[in-house]
Amino acid sequence: MYLKHAFRAATAMALLAGTGAMAETLTIATVNNGDMIRMQGLTEDFTKKTGHEVEWVTLEENVLRQRVTQDIAAKGGQFDIMTIGMYETPIWGKQGWLVALDDLPAEYDVDDILPAMRGGLSVDGTLYAAPFYGESSMIMYRTDLMEKAGLEMPDAPTWEFVADAARKMTDKDNEIYGICLRGKAGWGENMAFLTAMSNSFGARWFDMDWKPQFDTQPWKDTLNFYLDLMNEAGPPGASTNGFNENLSLFQQGKCGMWIDATVAASFVTNPDDSTVADKVNFALAPNTGKGKNANWLWAWALAIPAGSQKVDAAQEFIEWATSRDYIELVAANEGWANVPPGARTSLYENANYKDIPFAQMTLDSIKAADPNNPSVQPVPYVGIQFVAIPEFAGIATEVSQEFSAVYAGQQSIDDALAKGVLKPAKAAKKEAKGAAKAEGRE
């Protein structure tokens, strides 16, 4: 291992001397959010240090998931590095579709990765993707509108409080909406939010016998609550709003509250981008008093597909982009509030970061998320806003379209749930059979 990394260092020195030997051009597929775009702007630092060039393929979240899934399943080899998450990594790693990151150098300090992130990106203790940033979800809210409504946000509010506050904040004549929530179809868009929300209402995707649960009262309660809230206090066109659309609305001062990824905190508090930067505070995702908050756990991570012909160069990039040195680089260029959060323990021990207003709430939200026990009721699967089975992405995308049609007024909640309960049936039967075999019942 030592010789391998010493060789890399020697190669980089030769490149910097102008030889051009061994330099590669890496093609990286990534998502079009602010932290990834910021990384693209700093890639020159990587090129100077290694000689390797980078070509970016930057895609909207739903499109990215579709493209990388199709490419890796077909062994297409379009990408040397893929941006994927906690859903794909364990499944693809187990199938042998990803290169194991089991020889990272000592100075990378893999033990510094937050345990929740490392665990979610590993298979049997082997890391298959390195977290660029980690996140949970939380409430971001306008302090001025909360005060105007005569309310004080608790650290751990209930959904009833959130709904009351949203209605009191809403001023549709002035295009101020009490709450902005994801409605755009997609398993990582509206289904991520609604699955996390449903957990707090006592819903689940499957019971312990792998029977689909969309026809149960907790799911109906979840959708009724969501729909009533968005109709009364949400922005128009919510059925097409995802993370980026709601971020834009909040930054423009049009949302009283926004419940979404903790990583958004740096963007809503950045005065260069947000008109309400000095009027924002944070709280844990809501609950219904049943013991579960509606927060998820996720990491956007960098992985090497097994079909890459440039594994060494790709790993060099991952080491650079997910290192403590990269965090320092962002801090030097953009300030500590804008470094990629939620991935490394040392960040939350750093004196420069401790005073960032959303730092502790982000860490608390991540720690509160339990993918092994996501709902009020027991479940046979792992995952908070997703179910960690290969069929989930396809099933959840279809269900998300049914739910989005409800928000758009195209069908009833009962119709959507009736259709939803049918879609996971085949996967449920497969998982139930596998569980029975594992337990010696078949």
Side-chain angles (χ1 to χ4, degrees):
M1 186 186 301
Y2 173 81
L3 289 175
K4 179 178 180 180
H5 293 293
F7 175 73
R8 285 182 185 166
T11 301
M13 291 175 64
L15 290 168
L16 289 171
T19 66
M22 304 283 294
E24 302 278 14
T25 298
L26 298 170
T27 302
I28 304 177
T30 197
V31 65
N32 65 336
N33 67 29
D35 283 286
M36 298 304 184
I37 291 169
R38 182 177 290 131
M39 176 170 57
Q40 294 173 40
L42 295 172
T43 305
E44 184 180 348
D45 179 79
F46 169 73
T47 299
K48 284 181 178 178
K49 290 176 177 175
T50 65
H52 304 311
E53 300 286 344
V54 176
E55 292 183 354
W56 292 95
V57 179
T58 307
L59 303 166
E60 187 270 334
E61 186 172 323
N62 287 339
V63 178
L64 172 72
R65 288 191 165 109
Q66 183 180 37
R67 285 277 302 275
V68 298
T69 300
Q70 289 173 344
D71 187 68
I72 202 163
K75 298 181 180 179
Q78 293 183 53
F79 309 113
D80 301 300
I81 297 173
M82 294 176 167
T83 306
I84 59 176
M86 286 183 164
Y87 167 67
E88 300 94 344
T89 301
I91 295 171
W92 294 0
K94 191 173 183 179
Q95 291 173 325
W97 292 357
L98 300 175
V99 174
L101 301 178
D102 55 1
D103 63 344
L104 294 166
E107 61 269 22
Y108 180 82
D109 192 5
V110 72
D111 291 332
D112 186 43
I113 297 174
L114 282 169
M117 301 303 157
R118 186 174 177 182
L121 298 169
S122 298
V123 178
D124 297 329
T126 298
L127 192 70
Y128 281 90
F132 180 70
Y133 68 75
E135 66 180 37
S136 183
S137 51
M138 65 183 178
I139 303 173
M140 293 159 274
Y141 67 94
R142 291 270 300 277
T143 55
D144 57 329
L145 295 182
M146 189 67 71
E147 183 179 355
K148 185 177 178 181
L151 298 171
E152 184 175 344
M153 175 70 82
D155 286 339
T158 64
W159 276 108
E160 289 296 336
F161 176 89
V162 166
D164 180 51
R167 292 178 178 108
K168 289 177 177 176
M169 288 178 169
T170 298
D171 181 0
K172 293 185 179 181
D173 290 340
N174 289 302
E175 295 187 303
I176 295 176
Y177 306 97
I179 195 159
C180 294
L181 302 173
R182 297 190 189 196
K184 179 190 285 187
W187 75 260
E189 287 280 8
N190 64 345
M191 282 312 300
F193 178 82
L194 282 168
T195 299
M197 180 180 180
S198 75
N199 290 336
S200 69
F201 277 75
R204 51 189 174 169
W205 270 73
F206 303 97
D207 68 11
M208 291 301 289
D209 294 320
W210 286 99
K211 180 182 177 183
Q213 296 292 292
F214 283 114
D215 55 352
T216 60
Q217 192 63 42
W219 266 109
K220 190 170 183 177
D221 291 343
T222 302
L223 288 192
N224 273 314
F225 192 97
Y226 174 96
L227 190 61
D228 288 345
L229 180 58
M230 293 303 286
N231 284 338
E232 294 178 36
S239 63
T240 60
N241 288 347
F243 175 86
N244 284 329
E245 292 82 4
N246 284 326
L247 171 61
S248 178
L249 287 171
F250 195 98
Q251 288 176 324
Q252 294 173 51
K254 295 185 177 183
C255 301
M257 290 177 286
W258 179 30
I259 305 171
D260 213 299
T262 53
V263 72
S266 68
F267 299 105
V268 299
T269 56
N270 186 339
D272 293 337
D273 302 315
S274 176
T275 62
V276 294
D278 60 343
K279 301 179 180 69
V280 183
N281 208 344
F282 311 93
L284 291 172
N287 65 80
T288 61
K290 296 180 178 179
K292 288 292 178 182
N293 295 333
N295 61 306
W296 62 63
L297 186 68
W298 186 253
W300 277 119
L302 303 177
I304 306 170
S308 174
Q309 301 300 307
K310 304 170 185 176
V311 171
D312 282 355
Q315 184 164 317
E316 285 184 72
F317 182 87
I318 290 174
E319 290 171 15
W320 171 81
T322 63
S323 66
R324 281 190 295 242
D325 287 345
Y326 178 81
I327 291 173
E328 296 275 357
L329 178 65
V330 175
N333 284 271
E334 306 282 347
W336 279 100
N338 296 307
V339 303
R344 286 186 171 267
T345 301
S346 57
L347 177 62
Y348 294 92
E349 297 169 346
N350 189 312
N352 295 306
Y353 196 69
K354 282 185 176 181
D355 291 334
I356 300 300
F358 49 81
Q360 191 60 47
M361 187 60 71
T362 296
L363 186 61
D364 289 346
S365 297
I366 289 171
K367 287 182 175 179
D370 184 358
N372 293 306
N373 299 284
S375 182
V376 173
Q377 302 184 73
V379 299
Y381 53 84
V382 174
I384 298 176
Q385 74 276 27
F386 58 83
V387 177
I389 58 174
E391 301 87 353
F392 175 80
I395 297 166
T397 298
E398 292 182 24
V399 175
S400 78
Q401 292 163 354
E402 301 296 345
F403 287 179
S404 191
V406 172
Y407 321 147
Q410 296 169 358
Q411 67 177 336
S412 70
I413 288 174
D414 286 342
D415 287 343
L417 291 174
K419 294 175 183 177
V421 79
L422 298 175
K423 297 185 185 298
K426 185 176 180 181
K429 185 176 180 181
K430 176 184 174 184
E431 294 299 325
K433 185 176 180 180
K437 186 175 182 180
E439 294 170 9
R441 294 185 279 113
E442 183 175 296

